[in-house]
Amino acid sequence: MFDKILIANRGEIALRVIRACREMGIQTVAVHSTADSDAMHVRMADESVCIGPAPSTDSYLSMPAIISACEITGAQAIHPGYGFLSENANFVQMLEDHGITFIGPRAEHIRIMGDKITAKETARELGIPVVPGSAGGVDDMAEAKRVSAEIGYPVIIKATAGGGGRGMKVAQDEKGLEVAFRTARAEAKAAFGNPDVYIEKYLQKPRHIEIQVFGDGKGRAVHLGERDCSLQRRHQKVLEEAPGPVITAEERARIGKICADAVAAIQYAGAGTIEFLYEDGEFYFIEMNTRLQVEHPVTEAIFGVDLVRQQILVAAGEEMEFQQDDLKINGHAIEVRINAEKVPGFTPSPGRISQYHAPGGLGVRMDSALYDGYRIPPFYDSLIGKLIVHGRDRPEALARLSRALGELIVDGVDSTVPLFRELLAEPDIQSGDYSIHWLERWLDRHYG
Ligand code: ADP
Protein backbone atom coordinates (compact mmCIF):
# COMPACT_ATOMS: atom_id res chain seq x y z
CA MET A 1 0.00 0.00 0.00
CA PHE A 2 1.08 3.58 -0.61
CA ASP A 3 2.56 5.60 2.27
CA LYS A 4 1.74 8.94 0.71
CA ILE A 5 -0.75 10.16 -1.91
CA LEU A 6 -0.83 13.54 -3.64
CA ILE A 7 -4.26 14.92 -4.48
CA ALA A 8 -4.18 16.86 -7.74
CA ASN A 9 -7.37 18.78 -7.09
CA ARG A 10 -9.07 21.29 -4.81
CA GLY A 11 -12.38 21.93 -3.05
CA GLU A 12 -14.73 19.28 -1.75
CA ILE A 13 -13.29 16.45 -3.84
CA ALA A 14 -9.80 17.02 -2.45
CA LEU A 15 -11.26 16.72 1.07
CA ARG A 16 -13.15 13.61 0.02
CA VAL A 17 -9.89 11.92 -1.01
CA ILE A 18 -7.97 13.13 2.05
CA ARG A 19 -10.67 11.61 4.27
CA ALA A 20 -10.36 8.20 2.60
CA CYS A 21 -6.55 8.32 2.86
CA ARG A 22 -6.68 9.21 6.54
CA GLU A 23 -8.94 6.24 7.29
CA MET A 24 -6.46 4.02 5.47
CA GLY A 25 -3.46 5.42 7.34
CA ILE A 26 -2.01 7.07 4.23
CA GLN A 27 -0.23 10.45 4.38
CA THR A 28 -1.63 13.17 2.09
CA VAL A 29 -0.15 15.98 0.05
CA ALA A 30 -2.33 18.87 -1.09
CA VAL A 31 -1.33 21.03 -4.04
CA HIS A 32 -2.71 24.51 -4.48
CA SER A 33 -2.54 27.70 -6.48
CA THR A 34 -1.63 31.04 -4.88
CA ALA A 35 -5.38 31.83 -4.84
CA ASP A 36 -6.02 28.76 -2.67
CA SER A 37 -3.43 29.25 0.09
CA ASP A 38 -6.25 29.49 2.65
CA ALA A 39 -8.32 26.67 1.20
CA MET A 40 -9.62 23.88 3.40
CA HIS A 41 -7.86 21.10 1.45
CA VAL A 42 -4.52 22.77 2.19
CA ARG A 43 -5.36 22.94 5.89
CA MET A 44 -6.57 19.37 6.07
CA ALA A 45 -3.72 17.61 4.25
CA ASP A 46 -0.56 16.49 6.05
CA GLU A 47 1.62 18.53 3.68
CA SER A 48 0.99 21.08 0.97
CA VAL A 49 2.84 22.45 -2.04
CA CYS A 50 2.06 25.66 -3.92
CA ILE A 51 2.18 24.76 -7.61
CA GLY A 52 1.54 28.05 -9.34
CA PRO A 53 -0.58 31.16 -9.84
CA ALA A 54 -4.37 31.35 -9.80
CA PRO A 55 -5.27 30.36 -13.39
CA SER A 56 -5.73 26.58 -13.44
CA THR A 57 -3.69 26.22 -16.64
CA ASP A 58 -0.68 27.36 -14.60
CA SER A 59 -1.46 25.35 -11.46
CA TYR A 60 -4.01 22.53 -11.24
CA LEU A 61 -3.46 21.69 -14.92
CA SER A 62 0.33 22.06 -14.85
CA MET A 63 1.70 18.54 -15.22
CA PRO A 64 5.37 19.43 -14.57
CA ALA A 65 4.45 21.36 -11.40
CA ILE A 66 2.38 18.46 -10.07
CA ILE A 67 5.03 15.86 -10.86
CA SER A 68 7.68 18.02 -9.16
CA ALA A 69 5.43 18.25 -6.09
CA CYS A 70 5.34 14.43 -6.02
CA GLU A 71 9.09 14.23 -6.27
CA ILE A 72 9.71 16.83 -3.56
CA THR A 73 7.30 15.21 -1.10
CA GLY A 74 7.92 11.57 -2.00
CA ALA A 75 4.27 10.88 -2.86
CA GLN A 76 4.01 7.54 -4.67
CA ALA A 77 0.57 8.02 -6.22
CA ILE A 78 -1.75 10.75 -7.45
CA HIS A 79 -5.50 10.90 -7.02
CA PRO A 80 -6.86 13.28 -9.69
CA GLY A 81 -10.40 13.78 -8.34
CA TYR A 82 -12.76 14.83 -11.15
CA GLY A 83 -12.20 17.55 -13.74
CA PHE A 84 -8.68 19.03 -14.16
CA LEU A 85 -6.28 16.18 -15.15
CA SER A 86 -8.57 13.29 -14.25
CA GLU A 87 -9.23 12.28 -17.85
CA ASN A 88 -5.94 13.32 -19.43
CA ALA A 89 -4.26 10.28 -20.97
CA ASN A 90 -0.99 12.17 -21.57
CA PHE A 91 -0.77 12.95 -17.88
CA VAL A 92 -1.23 9.27 -17.00
CA GLN A 93 1.49 8.38 -19.49
CA MET A 94 3.80 10.99 -18.03
CA LEU A 95 3.25 9.70 -14.49
CA GLU A 96 4.08 6.21 -15.63
CA ASP A 97 7.37 7.47 -17.07
CA HIS A 98 8.17 9.01 -13.68
CA GLY A 99 7.24 5.89 -11.72
CA ILE A 100 4.23 7.53 -10.07
CA THR A 101 0.97 5.57 -9.82
CA PHE A 102 -2.17 7.18 -11.26
CA ILE A 103 -5.22 6.30 -9.18
CA GLY A 104 -7.53 5.59 -12.07
CA PRO A 105 -7.74 3.57 -15.27
CA ARG A 106 -4.97 2.99 -17.81
CA ALA A 107 -4.12 5.73 -20.32
CA GLU A 108 -5.45 3.62 -23.19
CA HIS A 109 -8.96 3.43 -21.68
CA ILE A 110 -9.03 7.15 -20.96
CA ARG A 111 -8.01 7.81 -24.55
CA ILE A 112 -10.69 5.54 -26.04
CA MET A 113 -13.48 7.04 -23.94
CA GLY A 114 -12.21 10.62 -24.34
CA ASP A 115 -12.97 10.58 -28.03
CA LYS A 116 -16.72 10.27 -28.29
CA ILE A 117 -16.77 8.52 -31.65
CA THR A 118 -14.24 5.87 -30.61
CA ALA A 119 -16.12 5.54 -27.31
CA LYS A 120 -19.38 4.87 -29.08
CA GLU A 121 -17.80 2.38 -31.46
CA THR A 122 -16.13 0.58 -28.57
CA ALA A 123 -19.39 0.55 -26.61
CA ARG A 124 -21.21 -0.96 -29.57
CA GLU A 125 -18.54 -3.65 -29.98
CA LEU A 126 -18.80 -4.46 -26.27
CA GLY A 127 -22.55 -5.06 -26.57
CA ILE A 128 -23.73 -1.80 -25.02
CA PRO A 129 -26.83 -0.29 -26.68
CA VAL A 130 -26.07 3.09 -28.31
CA VAL A 131 -28.12 6.04 -29.64
CA PRO A 132 -28.86 5.69 -33.37
CA GLY A 133 -26.61 8.08 -35.30
CA SER A 134 -23.79 8.63 -37.78
CA ALA A 135 -21.26 5.82 -38.04
CA GLY A 136 -18.43 8.22 -37.24
CA GLY A 137 -17.59 11.90 -37.71
CA VAL A 138 -19.57 13.94 -40.21
CA ASP A 139 -17.55 16.62 -41.99
CA ASP A 140 -19.67 18.08 -44.74
CA MET A 141 -23.18 19.40 -45.08
CA ALA A 142 -24.29 16.90 -47.73
CA GLU A 143 -23.35 14.00 -45.51
CA ALA A 144 -24.97 15.67 -42.50
CA LYS A 145 -28.23 15.96 -44.43
CA ARG A 146 -28.09 12.39 -45.66
CA VAL A 147 -27.38 10.96 -42.19
CA SER A 148 -30.07 13.11 -40.55
CA ALA A 149 -32.72 12.12 -43.08
CA GLU A 150 -31.80 8.49 -42.48
CA ILE A 151 -32.07 8.57 -38.68
CA GLY A 152 -35.00 11.02 -38.76
CA TYR A 153 -35.42 14.51 -37.26
CA PRO A 154 -34.93 15.97 -34.71
CA VAL A 155 -31.19 15.31 -34.51
CA ILE A 156 -28.43 16.51 -32.20
CA ILE A 157 -24.98 17.53 -33.43
CA LYS A 158 -22.26 16.85 -30.88
CA ALA A 159 -18.55 17.65 -30.71
CA THR A 160 -16.28 14.60 -30.88
CA ALA A 161 -13.99 16.23 -28.33
CA GLY A 162 -16.95 17.57 -26.32
CA GLY A 163 -17.51 17.62 -22.60
CA GLY A 164 -19.36 19.47 -19.90
CA GLY A 165 -22.45 19.75 -22.06
CA ARG A 166 -20.80 22.15 -24.48
CA GLY A 167 -20.77 22.07 -28.27
CA MET A 168 -24.20 20.52 -28.83
CA LYS A 169 -26.85 21.78 -31.25
CA VAL A 170 -30.32 20.43 -31.97
CA ALA A 171 -31.89 20.59 -35.45
CA GLN A 172 -35.64 20.10 -35.94
CA ASP A 173 -35.51 19.82 -39.72
CA GLU A 174 -33.19 20.12 -42.73
CA LYS A 175 -33.36 23.90 -42.71
CA GLY A 176 -32.38 24.05 -39.05
CA LEU A 177 -29.61 21.55 -39.71
CA GLU A 178 -27.72 23.96 -41.98
CA VAL A 179 -27.32 26.53 -39.20
CA ALA A 180 -26.87 23.97 -36.43
CA PHE A 181 -24.17 22.02 -38.27
CA ARG A 182 -22.13 25.14 -39.02
CA THR A 183 -22.42 26.62 -35.52
CA ALA A 184 -21.70 23.29 -33.82
CA ARG A 185 -18.45 22.94 -35.79
CA ALA A 186 -17.43 26.54 -35.11
CA GLU A 187 -18.19 26.17 -31.38
CA ALA A 188 -16.37 22.85 -31.17
CA LYS A 189 -13.31 24.40 -32.77
CA ALA A 190 -13.42 27.38 -30.40
CA ALA A 191 -14.02 25.31 -27.25
CA PHE A 192 -11.96 22.18 -27.90
CA GLY A 193 -9.63 23.15 -30.74
CA ASN A 194 -11.22 20.43 -32.86
CA PRO A 195 -14.18 21.06 -35.19
CA ASP A 196 -15.14 17.39 -35.60
CA VAL A 197 -18.78 16.58 -34.91
CA TYR A 198 -21.12 13.60 -35.14
CA ILE A 199 -24.87 13.30 -35.36
CA GLU A 200 -27.35 11.42 -33.18
CA LYS A 201 -31.08 11.02 -33.01
CA TYR A 202 -32.38 13.63 -30.56
CA LEU A 203 -34.44 11.89 -27.92
CA GLN A 204 -37.51 13.94 -26.96
CA LYS A 205 -38.05 13.27 -23.26
CA PRO A 206 -35.36 10.91 -22.02
CA ARG A 207 -34.03 10.50 -18.53
CA HIS A 208 -30.28 10.56 -17.88
CA ILE A 209 -29.42 7.25 -16.27
CA GLU A 210 -25.81 6.30 -15.56
CA ILE A 211 -24.37 3.02 -14.37
CA GLN A 212 -21.52 2.99 -11.86
CA VAL A 213 -18.97 0.32 -12.70
CA PHE A 214 -15.82 -0.76 -10.93
CA GLY A 215 -13.05 -2.99 -12.27
CA ASP A 216 -9.98 -4.59 -10.69
CA GLY A 217 -7.86 -4.13 -13.83
CA LYS A 218 -7.45 -7.90 -14.15
CA GLY A 219 -10.73 -8.80 -15.76
CA ARG A 220 -13.12 -8.75 -12.82
CA ALA A 221 -15.74 -6.02 -12.64
CA VAL A 222 -19.00 -5.19 -10.89
CA HIS A 223 -21.77 -2.64 -11.32
CA LEU A 224 -23.27 -0.56 -8.52
CA GLY A 225 -26.62 0.16 -10.08
CA GLU A 226 -27.72 3.44 -11.55
CA ARG A 227 -27.99 7.10 -10.71
CA ASP A 228 -30.73 9.23 -12.22
CA CYS A 229 -29.27 12.63 -13.14
CA SER A 230 -32.14 13.92 -15.25
CA LEU A 231 -32.50 17.18 -13.39
CA GLN A 232 -30.19 19.31 -15.52
CA ARG A 233 -29.72 22.83 -16.75
CA ARG A 234 -27.81 23.32 -20.00
CA HIS A 235 -26.77 19.67 -19.80
CA GLN A 236 -25.26 20.27 -16.34
CA LYS A 237 -26.47 18.07 -13.51
CA VAL A 238 -28.23 19.80 -10.62
CA LEU A 239 -29.69 16.95 -8.52
CA GLU A 240 -28.93 13.25 -8.62
CA GLU A 241 -30.57 10.27 -7.01
CA ALA A 242 -30.08 6.54 -6.62
CA PRO A 243 -31.75 4.26 -7.33
CA GLY A 244 -33.49 5.84 -10.32
CA PRO A 245 -37.19 6.44 -9.55
CA VAL A 246 -38.37 4.65 -12.71
CA ILE A 247 -35.83 1.85 -13.11
CA THR A 248 -37.03 -1.65 -12.23
CA ALA A 249 -34.89 -4.32 -10.58
CA GLU A 250 -34.97 -6.32 -13.84
CA GLU A 251 -33.81 -3.34 -15.92
CA ARG A 252 -31.04 -2.61 -13.42
CA ALA A 253 -29.81 -6.19 -13.43
CA ARG A 254 -29.88 -6.37 -17.24
CA ILE A 255 -28.11 -3.09 -18.08
CA GLY A 256 -25.83 -3.42 -15.06
CA LYS A 257 -24.60 -6.82 -16.22
CA ILE A 258 -24.02 -5.53 -19.76
CA CYS A 259 -21.87 -2.70 -18.35
CA ALA A 260 -19.95 -4.84 -15.86
CA ASP A 261 -19.22 -7.46 -18.54
CA ALA A 262 -18.06 -4.74 -20.95
CA VAL A 263 -15.55 -3.22 -18.55
CA ALA A 264 -14.40 -6.65 -17.39
CA ALA A 265 -13.69 -7.53 -21.03
CA ILE A 266 -11.28 -4.61 -21.43
CA GLN A 267 -9.72 -5.19 -17.96
CA TYR A 268 -10.76 -1.76 -16.84
CA ALA A 269 -9.24 -0.57 -13.54
CA GLY A 270 -11.07 1.48 -10.94
CA ALA A 271 -14.25 3.55 -11.00
CA GLY A 272 -16.09 4.39 -14.18
CA THR A 273 -19.51 5.60 -15.21
CA ILE A 274 -21.38 4.55 -18.31
CA GLU A 275 -23.94 7.21 -19.20
CA PHE A 276 -27.20 6.49 -20.96
CA LEU A 277 -30.29 8.27 -22.07
CA TYR A 278 -33.34 6.22 -21.12
CA GLU A 279 -36.67 6.42 -22.90
CA ASP A 280 -39.60 3.99 -23.07
CA GLY A 281 -37.69 1.16 -21.40
CA GLU A 282 -34.63 1.45 -23.67
CA PHE A 283 -31.09 2.49 -22.73
CA TYR A 284 -28.95 4.44 -25.21
CA PHE A 285 -25.23 4.89 -24.46
CA ILE A 286 -23.97 8.47 -24.73
CA GLU A 287 -20.54 8.36 -23.10
CA MET A 288 -18.29 6.83 -20.47
CA ASN A 289 -16.50 8.85 -17.79
CA THR A 290 -13.26 7.19 -16.73
CA ARG A 291 -13.09 8.73 -13.27
CA LEU A 292 -14.93 9.31 -10.02
CA GLN A 293 -18.07 11.38 -10.63
CA VAL A 294 -19.26 14.39 -8.63
CA GLU A 295 -22.41 12.43 -7.75
CA HIS A 296 -20.68 9.24 -6.53
CA PRO A 297 -21.87 9.72 -2.91
CA VAL A 298 -25.47 8.68 -3.69
CA THR A 299 -24.12 5.31 -4.84
CA GLU A 300 -21.92 5.06 -1.75
CA ALA A 301 -24.95 5.76 0.44
CA ILE A 302 -27.19 3.03 -0.93
CA PHE A 303 -24.48 0.39 -1.21
CA GLY A 304 -22.57 1.32 1.96
CA VAL A 305 -19.20 1.37 0.18
CA ASP A 306 -16.32 3.85 -0.01
CA LEU A 307 -15.50 4.16 -3.70
CA VAL A 308 -12.34 6.21 -3.15
CA ARG A 309 -10.96 3.56 -0.81
CA GLN A 310 -11.63 0.93 -3.50
CA GLN A 311 -9.90 3.12 -6.11
CA ILE A 312 -6.81 3.34 -3.90
CA LEU A 313 -6.79 -0.41 -3.19
CA VAL A 314 -7.02 -1.34 -6.87
CA ALA A 315 -4.36 1.21 -7.86
CA ALA A 316 -2.06 -0.34 -5.27
CA GLY A 317 -2.59 -3.77 -6.85
CA GLU A 318 -4.83 -5.07 -4.10
CA GLU A 319 -8.25 -6.68 -4.46
CA MET A 320 -11.46 -4.67 -4.41
CA GLU A 321 -13.47 -5.49 -1.31
CA PHE A 322 -16.74 -6.55 -2.95
CA GLN A 323 -18.15 -8.92 -5.51
CA GLN A 324 -21.41 -8.48 -7.38
CA ASP A 325 -23.36 -10.64 -4.91
CA ASP A 326 -22.25 -8.48 -1.96
CA LEU A 327 -23.77 -5.38 -3.52
CA LYS A 328 -27.33 -4.94 -2.26
CA ILE A 329 -29.26 -1.68 -2.42
CA ASN A 330 -30.30 -0.22 0.90
CA GLY A 331 -32.82 2.63 0.70
CA HIS A 332 -32.66 5.79 -1.40
CA ALA A 333 -30.18 8.66 -1.64
CA ILE A 334 -30.39 12.15 -3.17
CA GLU A 335 -27.63 14.70 -3.79
CA VAL A 336 -28.08 18.39 -4.52
CA ARG A 337 -25.25 20.47 -5.94
CA ILE A 338 -24.73 23.69 -4.03
CA ASN A 339 -23.19 26.18 -6.44
CA ALA A 340 -22.14 29.75 -5.70
CA GLU A 341 -24.41 31.03 -8.45
CA LYS A 342 -27.24 33.48 -8.74
CA VAL A 343 -30.48 31.89 -9.92
CA PRO A 344 -32.10 32.15 -12.49
CA GLY A 345 -29.13 33.17 -14.68
CA PHE A 346 -26.74 30.85 -12.80
CA THR A 347 -24.07 33.55 -12.96
CA PRO A 348 -21.10 32.78 -10.68
CA SER A 349 -21.18 34.50 -7.30
CA PRO A 350 -17.72 34.31 -5.75
CA GLY A 351 -16.92 36.19 -2.55
CA ARG A 352 -16.63 35.90 1.20
CA ILE A 353 -18.71 33.39 3.16
CA SER A 354 -19.93 35.39 6.15
CA GLN A 355 -21.63 32.42 7.77
CA TYR A 356 -21.61 28.70 7.07
CA HIS A 357 -23.50 26.05 8.96
CA ALA A 358 -23.64 22.47 7.71
CA PRO A 359 -26.70 20.33 8.39
CA GLY A 360 -26.30 17.07 10.28
CA GLY A 361 -28.27 14.27 11.84
CA LEU A 362 -29.26 10.80 10.68
CA GLY A 363 -28.71 10.12 6.98
CA VAL A 364 -27.13 13.49 6.17
CA ARG A 365 -23.72 13.98 4.54
CA MET A 366 -22.31 17.36 3.61
CA ASP A 367 -19.25 17.31 1.36
CA SER A 368 -17.92 20.85 1.24
CA ALA A 369 -14.71 22.80 1.67
CA LEU A 370 -16.47 25.91 3.00
CA TYR A 371 -15.84 27.52 6.37
CA ASP A 372 -16.82 30.78 8.06
CA GLY A 373 -14.90 33.65 6.51
CA TYR A 374 -13.68 31.61 3.51
CA ARG A 375 -13.33 33.64 0.35
CA ILE A 376 -14.49 31.74 -2.76
CA PRO A 377 -12.00 32.63 -5.50
CA PRO A 378 -13.42 33.61 -8.91
CA PHE A 379 -11.10 31.33 -10.89
CA TYR A 380 -12.63 27.89 -10.55
CA ASP A 381 -15.80 25.85 -10.75
CA SER A 382 -18.73 27.27 -8.78
CA LEU A 383 -19.53 24.01 -6.95
CA ILE A 384 -19.10 24.78 -3.24
CA GLY A 385 -20.79 21.82 -1.66
CA LYS A 386 -22.85 18.70 -2.07
CA LEU A 387 -25.63 17.82 0.30
CA ILE A 388 -26.38 14.11 0.26
CA VAL A 389 -29.25 12.51 2.15
CA HIS A 390 -30.07 8.85 2.64
CA GLY A 391 -33.38 7.39 3.77
CA ARG A 392 -35.11 4.00 3.91
CA ASP A 393 -37.07 4.95 0.81
CA ARG A 394 -37.54 7.89 -1.57
CA PRO A 395 -40.20 9.72 0.49
CA GLU A 396 -37.96 9.54 3.56
CA ALA A 397 -34.97 10.80 1.57
CA LEU A 398 -37.06 13.72 0.26
CA ALA A 399 -38.28 14.63 3.74
CA ARG A 400 -34.72 14.44 5.05
CA LEU A 401 -33.47 16.65 2.20
CA SER A 402 -36.09 19.23 3.02
CA ARG A 403 -35.16 19.11 6.71
CA ALA A 404 -31.39 19.35 5.96
CA LEU A 405 -31.86 22.27 3.55
CA GLY A 406 -33.68 24.02 6.37
CA GLU A 407 -30.61 23.69 8.60
CA LEU A 408 -28.04 24.67 5.96
CA ILE A 409 -26.72 28.24 6.12
CA VAL A 410 -24.51 29.63 3.33
CA ASP A 411 -24.44 33.41 3.74
CA GLY A 412 -22.40 36.05 1.96
CA VAL A 413 -22.76 34.79 -1.61
CA ASP A 414 -25.69 33.78 -3.80
CA SER A 415 -26.19 30.05 -4.00
CA THR A 416 -28.50 27.40 -5.41
CA VAL A 417 -29.81 26.52 -1.92
CA PRO A 418 -33.09 28.50 -2.29
CA LEU A 419 -33.67 26.83 -5.68
CA PHE A 420 -33.72 23.39 -4.06
CA ARG A 421 -36.16 24.55 -1.41
CA GLU A 422 -38.50 25.64 -4.21
CA LEU A 423 -37.98 22.50 -6.26
CA LEU A 424 -38.90 20.26 -3.35
CA ALA A 425 -42.36 21.84 -3.31
CA GLU A 426 -43.00 20.61 -6.87
CA PRO A 427 -45.29 17.57 -7.24
CA ASP A 428 -43.19 16.25 -10.17
CA ILE A 429 -40.05 16.25 -8.02
CA GLN A 430 -41.93 14.58 -5.19
CA SER A 431 -43.22 11.88 -7.54
CA GLY A 432 -40.00 11.55 -9.58
CA ASP A 433 -41.77 12.42 -12.81
CA TYR A 434 -39.16 14.46 -14.66
CA SER A 435 -37.08 14.17 -17.86
CA ILE A 436 -33.86 15.95 -18.82
CA HIS A 437 -35.93 18.93 -20.03
CA TRP A 438 -38.07 19.37 -16.90
CA LEU A 439 -35.84 21.85 -15.07
CA GLU A 440 -35.31 24.23 -17.98
CA ARG A 441 -39.05 24.36 -18.62
CA TRP A 442 -39.69 24.97 -14.93
CA LEU A 443 -37.09 27.76 -14.85
CA ASP A 444 -38.73 29.35 -17.91
CA ARG A 445 -42.13 29.22 -16.26
CA HIS A 446 -40.92 30.59 -12.94
CA TYR A 447 -38.45 33.19 -14.02
CA GLY A 448 -39.38 33.65 -17.70
P1 ADP B 1 -21.01 15.96 -22.28
O1 ADP B 1 -19.81 15.08 -22.38
O2 ADP B 1 -20.75 17.32 -22.87
O3 ADP B 1 -21.59 16.01 -20.91
P2 ADP B 1 -23.04 14.03 -23.16
O4 ADP B 1 -22.92 13.25 -24.39
O5 ADP B 1 -22.79 13.32 -21.86
O6 ADP B 1 -22.11 15.33 -23.26
O7 ADP B 1 -24.47 14.68 -23.07
C1 ADP B 1 -24.84 15.56 -22.03
C2 ADP B 1 -26.34 15.78 -22.00
O8 ADP B 1 -26.82 16.24 -23.27
C3 ADP B 1 -27.16 14.55 -21.71
O9 ADP B 1 -27.26 14.26 -20.32
C4 ADP B 1 -28.49 14.95 -22.31
O10 ADP B 1 -29.14 15.87 -21.45
C5 ADP B 1 -28.11 15.71 -23.57
N1 ADP B 1 -28.03 14.82 -24.75
C6 ADP B 1 -26.91 14.24 -25.25
N2 ADP B 1 -27.19 13.45 -26.33
C7 ADP B 1 -28.53 13.54 -26.54
C8 ADP B 1 -29.46 12.95 -27.49
N3 ADP B 1 -29.06 12.11 -28.45
N4 ADP B 1 -30.77 13.28 -27.37
C9 ADP B 1 -31.21 14.12 -26.39
N5 ADP B 1 -30.38 14.71 -25.49
C10 ADP B 1 -29.06 14.43 -25.54
Side-chain angles (χ1 to χ4, degrees):
M1 183 42 65
F2 311 113
D3 303 313
K4 199 186 269 190
I5 290 176
L6 181 143
I7 297 110
N9 216 304
R10 62 184 301 283
E12 67 84 18
I13 195 62
L15 299 196
R16 169 70 189 87
V17 178
I18 292 172
R19 286 177 172 137
C21 291
R22 197 143 286 161
E23 290 180 16
M24 297 173 82
I26 300 168
Q27 295 281 305
T28 54
V29 179
V31 292
H32 66 93
S33 70
T34 51
D36 272 344
S37 305
D38 292 330
M40 191 60 132
H41 75 285
V42 176
R43 298 181 179 199
M44 232 170 89
D46 297 305
E47 290 171 71
S48 65
V49 180
C50 180
I51 50 166
S56 40
T57 39
D58 301 322
S59 49
Y60 298 104
L61 290 171
S62 169
M63 304 186 210
I66 290 169
I67 290 171
S68 303
C70 265
E71 284 169 351
I72 293 164
T73 57
Q76 300 134 325
I78 290 187
H79 195 298
Y82 50 70
F84 293 130
L85 296 169
S86 62
E87 289 175 294
N88 188 314
N90 295 337
F91 180 56
V92 178
Q93 197 66 59
M94 207 184 266
L95 291 184
E96 207 169 289
D97 298 341
H98 283 79
I100 302 165
T101 304
F102 178 74
I103 302 175
R106 291 202 297 276
E108 119 201 46
H109 292 148
I110 297 178
R111 208 164 269 136
I112 290 170
M113 295 304 167
D115 178 280
K116 296 207 163 195
I117 291 177
T118 328
K120 223 174 143 180
E121 268 168 27
T122 309
R124 197 186 285 115
E125 285 164 14
L126 290 168
I128 298 173
V130 302
V131 193
S134 57
V138 176
D139 26 55
D140 64 73
M141 190 68 80
E143 196 194 347
K145 286 183 180 169
R146 188 183 53 72
V147 169
S148 302
E150 210 174 280
I151 55 181
Y153 288 92
V155 296
I156 184 165
I157 302 154
K158 300 166 77 171
T160 311
R166 289 177 306 163
M168 289 187 256
K169 287 276 168 282
V170 177
Q172 297 297 336
D173 47 35
E174 195 173 294
K175 199 159 164 292
L177 180 72
E178 297 200 1
V179 185
F181 184 70
R182 260 192 292 270
T183 40
R185 281 178 63 87
E187 281 184 18
K189 180 140 189 1
F192 313 109
N194 175 353
D196 293 349
V197 296
Y198 62 106
I199 300 180
E200 273 177 1
K201 180 153 193 65
Y202 182 69
L203 298 168
Q204 308 274 351
K205 46 166 186 39
R207 299 184 76 114
H208 174 114
I209 304 287
E210 54 184 39
I211 305 292
Q212 175 73 55
V213 290
F214 204 96
D216 69 354
K218 301 171 216 160
R220 194 160 70 85
V222 298
H223 73 85
L224 293 97
E226 78 284 359
R227 293 183 284 262
D228 189 323
C229 315
S230 302
L231 218 64
Q232 302 181 348
R233 177 184 171 270
R234 302 216 174 141
H235 308 304
Q236 304 268 5
K237 297 161 190 167
V238 169
L239 175 152
E240 304 95 348
E241 55 182 313
V246 301
I247 304 299
T248 65
E250 292 72 36
E251 285 174 316
R252 175 176 312 116
R254 181 174 64 84
I255 196 72
K257 183 170 188 318
I258 290 173
C259 292
D261 288 350
V263 295
I266 58 170
Q267 303 196 329
Y268 185 83
T273 297
I274 305 188
E275 297 193 336
F276 294 94
L277 294 175
Y278 172 89
E279 194 168 77
D280 301 328
E282 299 291 335
F283 289 89
Y284 302 98
F285 171 88
I286 46 175
E287 68 167 342
M288 176 168 180
N289 293 317
T290 51
R291 56 169 163 82
L292 193 69
Q293 304 259 116
V294 174
E295 59 273 22
H296 76 276
V298 291
T299 300
E300 295 188 320
I302 62 166
F303 285 100
V305 302
D306 179 338
L307 286 171
V308 176
R309 175 187 169 88
Q310 303 305 316
Q311 285 186 299
I312 295 170
L313 287 173
V314 165
E318 297 188 17
E319 294 301 319
M320 51 196 202
E321 294 171 308
F322 42 61
Q323 302 194 5
Q324 194 65 59
D325 288 346
D326 305 327
L327 296 165
K328 300 270 182 287
I329 294 178
N330 171 23
H332 196 96
I334 306 175
E335 171 184 284
V336 293
R337 295 193 189 195
I338 318 280
N339 289 352
E341 287 172 350
K342 190 170 169 57
V343 177
F346 292 82
T347 40
S349 175
R352 186 174 174 277
I353 297 291
S354 53
Q355 198 188 353
Y356 172 64
H357 175 77
L362 182 62
V364 175
R365 167 175 172 182
M366 184 78 197
D367 277 19
S368 171
L370 293 186
Y371 58 84
D372 278 339
Y374 173 62
R375 199 173 281 281
I376 302 167
F379 309 103
Y380 313 107
D381 195 89
S382 53
L383 182 78
I384 52 171
K386 307 184 309 203
L387 169 58
I388 304 106
V389 294
H390 182 211
R392 284 172 300 180
D393 51 23
R394 194 167 184 275
E396 188 174 84
L398 285 165
R400 194 155 279 163
L401 179 58
S402 174
R403 187 268 291 170
L405 283 168
E407 293 176 19
L408 174 62
I409 301 172
V410 180
D411 281 348
V413 298
D414 286 304
S415 83
T416 50
V417 172
L419 170 72
F420 293 116
R421 295 196 181 120
E422 279 186 71
L423 286 175
L424 278 179
E426 287 294 326
D428 288 347
I429 299 298
Q430 289 291 329
S431 64
D433 184 14
Y434 54 84
S435 79
I436 59 169
H437 304 300
W438 188 94
L439 182 58
E440 291 197 356
R441 287 179 192 148
W442 183 88
L443 287 165
D444 279 349
R445 275 205 315 277
H446 275 250
Y447 297 98

